[in-house]
Amino acid sequence: MTTIMDGKKLRDKILSGLKSEIQTFDKKPVLAVILAGDDAASRIYVNNKKKTAENLGIKSIVIEYPADVGENILLEKIEELNLDKEINAILVQLPLPAHIDKQKVIDTIAPIKDVDCFTIENSGRLYTGLEPYVYPCTPQGILYLLDEYKINLEGKHVVVIGRSNLVGKPAAQLALKRNATVTVCHSHTRNLSDITKTADVLISAVGEVLIEDDMMKDDCVVIDVGIFRDCNGKVRGDVNFETVSKKASYITPVPGGVGPMTIASLMVNTVKLYKEQNKRSS
Ligand code: NAD
């Protein structure tokens, strides 16, 4: 029998615990979000993050810039937020306008306020096995789902499709930390299905419908990170849910699987950074 992993239910559970915890704090945690440009999807994401944060008792400040903002303006604002003791977490909404050096902007965030774990320092900590303050939100969300459904990765073959810094690489690294045997596939991988057929756990983060039921073995755990709109405007994931869900032991739906976990992780990460900063200043 296939279990559908319910990201919305788990998100609500995590956020309800977090809300109770925040009510015991003297001060509200504060998340600052930088939004540059006029990407419609980014605006929706930022609004959702703000709404979720405020519901929990996290103060959310959104700092908006036009698409032609100078890089220096962003760097100066981040320096200012770094020094501001009221700000606990900083998020730069991606994508940034093309003329801006994304990594330079991200690396200006103080590592202790880097809520996405994207700075070189925090990535370095993650990839060398040192603990960063928080893990990147989407891969962290995947771990929450695996834990909720008691899926142990030890000794399992985890196949990750996608090698972005946002999802694929950190997801692979976190699976390694859990003692999985990990294979990372990407757009240059040959004979993809020969590899996916050997997966005990398949994590797909691509952004196109790619995974069919003949690409996996029976009882595989399938985590679908992909989210995009197809030509009919329907929200889709990487996995052909209809067929794959008949064969998988566990599967995440799209929407309602990994997506809600990403936002839950962002809130948890904000609170973790808040607590870490309070610990240091006490
Ligand atoms: P990306 O474009 O940076 O990376 C896509 C990866 O897929 C690349 O590494 C590429 O090599 C690989 N790829 C492309 N075509 C392939 C193919 N035919 N076979 C094998 N690999 C192939 O994207 P990203 O930022 O990593 O996001 C991936 C998907 O996950 C997108 O749909 C994005 O919207 C979604 N996403 C969802 C969440 C969430 O919370 N659910 C969060 C982040 C990203």
Side-chain angles (χ1 to χ4, degrees):
M1 211 186 71
T2 306
T3 301
I4 296 175
M5 302 166 94
D6 189 339
K8 285 189 191 162
K9 194 165 152 197
L10 181 55
R11 171 199 61 196
D12 292 347
K13 180 172 148 186
I14 291 172
L15 294 186
S16 133
L18 202 61
K19 188 171 185 170
S20 308
E21 188 183 1
I22 292 170
Q23 279 163 358
T24 68
F25 294 167
D26 298 336
K27 275 192 333 181
K28 280 185 173 187
V30 182
L31 167 68
V33 178
I34 294 191
L35 175 62
D38 39 26
D39 185 84
S42 291
R43 189 164 293 277
I44 294 170
Y45 294 145
V46 167
N47 285 341
N48 284 344
K49 288 167 187 171
K50 186 173 172 65
K51 218 163 77 188
T52 307
E54 309 255 298
N55 268 337
L56 295 179
I58 293 174
K59 184 172 170 192
S60 166
I61 300 169
V62 180
I63 306 151
E64 292 190 39
Y65 294 98
D68 61 355
V69 62
E71 189 175 283
N72 273 352
I73 305 278
L74 297 184
L75 300 181
E76 279 164 23
K77 177 48 86 177
I78 293 172
E79 304 272 15
E80 184 191 314
L81 296 170
N82 285 342
L83 293 173
D84 186 342
K85 289 201 162 43
E86 294 301 308
I87 305 290
N88 303 111
I90 303 172
L91 180 152
V92 174
Q93 183 65 41
L94 300 176
L96 286 172
H99 65 282
I100 297 201
D101 181 342
K102 176 180 86 175
Q103 196 58 46
K104 192 169 169 192
V105 169
I106 287 170
D107 275 326
T108 307
I109 302 173
I112 188 78
K113 297 191 177 185
D114 172 20
V115 73
D116 275 324
C117 187
F118 283 167
T119 58
I120 297 276
E121 179 175 327
N122 285 335
S123 303
R125 287 179 161 269
L126 180 65
Y127 294 109
T128 52
L130 294 169
E131 280 300 299
Y133 305 106
V134 293
Y135 291 146
C137 295
T138 301
Q140 170 66 78
I142 295 172
L143 291 188
Y144 286 144
L145 276 168
L146 295 172
D147 289 343
E148 178 70 9
Y149 289 89
K150 303 197 174 12
I151 297 164
N152 184 355
L153 296 187
E154 181 152 351
K156 303 263 176 69
H157 185 203
V158 174
V159 174
V160 180
I161 313 180
R163 58 173 167 180
S164 70
N165 289 337
L166 186 65
V167 191
K169 279 196 210 120
Q173 183 61 22
L174 291 180
L176 260 185
K177 276 174 84 80
R178 294 215 165 170
N179 296 326
T181 302
V182 181
T183 304
V184 180
C185 303
H186 47 79
S187 52
H188 295 255
T189 298
R190 293 188 191 146
N191 306 322
L192 181 66
S193 64
D194 287 350
I195 300 168
T196 55
K197 273 180 194 157
T198 66
D200 300 307
V201 178
L202 184 59
I203 301 176
S204 186
V206 174
E208 61 182 66
V209 180
L210 197 67
I211 310 299
E212 301 290 343
D213 60 344
D214 61 359
M215 294 174 70
M216 50 179 280
K217 63 180 184 184
D218 284 338
D219 292 333
C220 181
V221 174
V222 180
I223 307 287
D224 190 352
V225 183
I227 185 158
F228 55 95
R229 284 188 190 275
D230 68 14
C231 51
N232 301 315
K234 187 173 175 251
V235 174
R236 297 290 313 257
D238 294 353
V239 173
N240 182 342
F241 187 85
E242 211 180 313
T243 54
V244 170
S245 63
K246 293 193 174 87
K247 209 167 167 187
S249 54
Y250 293 84
I251 186 167
T252 59
V254 178
V258 175
M261 299 313 303
T262 297
I263 199 149
S265 300
L266 174 65
M267 301 302 136
V268 172
N269 284 359
T270 301
V271 169
K272 279 189 184 163
L273 295 182
Y274 168 91
K275 290 201 282 194
E276 181 65 30
Q277 289 157 32
N278 279 359
K279 199 166 77 188
R280 289 180 178 202
S281 62
S282 64

